[in-house]
């Protein structure tokens, strides 16, 4: 397996984890400013990691 594909899979897993954590924080939020800031930060980081991981896995060619 290629190192880029492993790194892409790791980024994808981190992105999924960040999005799941955002959903957990969203379900237990009370609407304070700190809650909204954490939602935005974790959500944006999760989306960035997920998209970059998927694109890295997709664009890396298999070399046997």
């Amino acid at each position: 397996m290629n190192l880029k594909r492993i790194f892409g899979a790791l980024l994808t897993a981190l992105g999924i984890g960040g999005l799941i954590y955002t959903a957990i924080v969203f379900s237990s939020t009370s609407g304070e400013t700190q809650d909204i800031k954490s939602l935005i930060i974790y959500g944006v980081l999760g989306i960035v990691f997920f998209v970059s991981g998927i694109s890295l896995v997709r664009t890396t060619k298999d070399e046997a």
Side-chain angles (χ1 to χ4, degrees):
M1 188 175 229
N2 199 346
L3 187 62
K4 286 184 181 180
R5 279 194 179 259
I6 294 172
F7 188 64
L10 180 67
L11 283 176
T12 304
L14 284 173
I16 291 171
L19 292 174
I20 290 172
Y21 186 70
T22 302
I24 292 170
V25 170
F26 179 74
S27 66
S28 66
T29 186
S30 63
E32 296 179 8
T33 304
Q34 184 179 5
D35 294 335
I36 294 172
K37 285 181 183 179
S38 66
L39 279 173
I40 292 171
I41 290 169
Y42 293 133
V44 168
L45 283 176
I47 289 172
V48 167
F49 283 177
F50 182 74
V51 169
S52 65
I54 291 292
S55 66
L56 188 60
V57 168
R58 184 180 296 168
T59 58
T60 304
K61 296 180 182 179
D62 282 331
E63 296 175 359

